[in-house]
């Protein structure tokens, strides 16, 4: 049916009224929005603080920083790309190692000096000192065909002479044979026995193993060591020095005359030579601060927040002792004793 003009007019008026109401509502909405204060900008996202260094588990084992003394005096004697042995600098150009290391058993011959290369202060494919080898001398009593004979066990040492005096960069260590004085110092918690070096299963970092709880402080007290740890050279931290224990290579100081001659030293009171830190111009850090920080963290001290010196002072205060200038080998020895004893509880 056709829509009349009147109906069209009424519909148009109704539509116009509806549009007018819609526009009015929109205008009121816009005015209401304009009356509201502007929303604040979103808060800036703050970066999370860096995580604190993880505290190591002090179970008698630790990976230490080879770029700091005294660990820098321990190095790797590389054997023509076919393996390596641990070597310890005991002079600017003299390295003490095991005699059996220098014998290529599969080939039935001694390695030649030109096949050997010594690297020190080495970790994670970076070393701070190295030298080719000029010559080496094996202990007179060692026979490569003698297997595990008593003579071989008690004369398993050799002195390697380097082309370069890299000991001035890395520092070097003295040698001491185990004795009653050391045992008594260890019983008083004033000395610490340990093993240290590059393990076959950890060839790119120096591992240390510092043994058992008090009451087992002598050399036999390095208990619960794995075969890999037992193969590491033995040392003692005493009187603010790290020294090689000569017993690992030869039975007694009385046998050490040839060793003393090769290292240009003399044996006196079971000792040969003294620990000598690196030169002031060396890239090697002169104190074991990283190692000290690791042990302090493991013992629960806030090294990252308080700083190393304050953490050392807090530790000494907790031990009932007057804080002293820290960061030295004596502090490290003290901390390792505490870590060893705390791990035994």
């Amino acid at each position: 049916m056709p829509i009349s003009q009147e109906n069209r007019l009424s519909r148009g008026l109704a539509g116009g009224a509806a549009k007018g109401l819609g526009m009015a509502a929109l205008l009121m909405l816009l005015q209401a929005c304009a009356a509201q204060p502007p929303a604040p900008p979103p808060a800036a996202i703050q970066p999370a603080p860096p995580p604190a260094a993880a505290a190591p588990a002090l179970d008698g084992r630790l990976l230490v920083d080879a770029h700091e003394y005294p660990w820098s005096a321990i190095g790797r004697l590389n054997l023509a790309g076919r393996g390596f042995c641990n070597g310890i600098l005991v002079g600017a150009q003299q390295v003490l190692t095991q005699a059996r290391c220098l014998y290529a058993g599969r080939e039935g011959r001694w390695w030649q000096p030109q096949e050997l290369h010594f690297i020190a202060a080495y970790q994670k494919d970076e070393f701070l000192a190295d030298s080719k080898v000029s010559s080496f001398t094996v202990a007179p009593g060692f026979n490569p065909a003698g297997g595990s004979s008593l003579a071989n066990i008690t004369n398993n040492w050799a002195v390697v002479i380097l082309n370069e005096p890299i000991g001035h960069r890395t520092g070097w260590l003295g040698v001491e044979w185990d004795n009653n004085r050391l045992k008594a110092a260890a019983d008083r918690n004033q000395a610490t026995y340990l093993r240290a070096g590059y393990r076959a299963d950890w060839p790119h970092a120096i591992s240390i193993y510092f043994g058992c709880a008090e009451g087992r402080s002598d050399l036999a007290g390095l208990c619960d060591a794995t075969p890999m740890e037992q193969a590491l050279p033995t040392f003692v931290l005493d009187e603010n020095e790290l020294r090689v224990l000569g017993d690992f290579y030869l039975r007694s100081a009385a046998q050490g005359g040839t060793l003393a001659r090769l290292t240009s030293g003399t044996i006196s009171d079971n000792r040969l030579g003294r620990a000598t830190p690196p030169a002031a111009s060396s890239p090697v850090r002169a104190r074991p601060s990283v190692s000290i920080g690791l042990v302090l963290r493991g013992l629960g001290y806030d090294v990252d927040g308080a700083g190393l010196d304050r953490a050392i002072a807090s530790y000494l205060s907790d031990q009932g002792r007057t804080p002293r200038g820290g960061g030295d080998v004596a502090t490290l020895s003290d901390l390792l004793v505490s870590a060893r004893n705390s791990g035994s509880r």
Side-chain angles (χ1 to χ4, degrees), residues 124-286:
K124 299 178 181 177
D125 296 326
E126 181 182 3
F127 54 86
L128 301 182
D130 73 303
S131 176
K132 294 181 179 179
V133 170
S134 171
S135 62
F136 62 82
T137 301
V138 175
F142 185 83
N143 176 10
S148 298
S149 66
L150 180 61
N152 277 359
I153 292 172
T154 57
N155 291 282
N156 186 18
W157 64 267
V159 172
V160 174
I161 306 300
L162 305 178
N163 284 350
E164 307 294 333
I166 65 170
H168 295 304
R169 291 170 61 84
T170 64
W172 61 84
L173 306 179
V175 182
E176 183 164 4
W177 281 263
D178 201 25
N179 56 72
N180 290 333
R181 187 196 68 78
L182 285 180
K183 291 180 174 67
D187 289 339
R188 297 191 302 269
N189 288 338
Q190 294 174 349
T192 310
Y193 292 97
L194 56 92
R195 294 183 183 270
Y198 296 93
R199 290 164 39 173
D201 57 340
W202 284 97
H204 304 298
I206 292 179
S207 303
I208 71 169
Y209 174 71
F210 47 95
C212 304
E214 49 191 340
R216 296 288 305 278
S217 56
D218 62 1
L219 196 57
L222 291 170
C223 62
D224 300 328
T226 68
M228 292 292 181
E229 288 160 345
Q230 290 284 1
L232 295 178
T234 51
F235 299 83
V236 63
L237 283 165
D238 180 44
E239 296 178 345
N240 207 19
E241 284 188 21
L242 178 70
R243 302 190 200 108
V244 189
L245 276 176
D247 310 70
F248 184 75
Y249 302 95
L250 62 162
R251 185 186 338 191
S252 68
Q255 296 176 278
T258 306
L259 175 60
R261 177 177 58 80
L262 292 170
T263 56
S264 302
T266 57
I267 295 176
S268 176
D269 192 25
N270 290 310
R271 294 189 191 181
L272 171 61
R274 288 194 65 83
T276 302
S281 59
S282 170
V284 171
R285 297 185 294 276

Side-chain angles (χ1 to χ4, degrees), residues 54-58 62 292-301 303 339 342:
L58 295 179
L62 201 64
I292 289 171
L294 286 172
V295 183
L296 281 168
R297 287 189 189 95
L299 291 172
Y301 288 88
V303 177
S342 68

Side-chain angles (χ1 to χ4, degrees), residues 19-45:
K19 288 181 181 178
L21 289 173
M23 290 298 293
L26 179 60
L27 181 59
M28 291 176 65
L29 179 61
L30 292 174
Q31 288 175 342
C33 290
Q36 297 295 325
I45 298 175

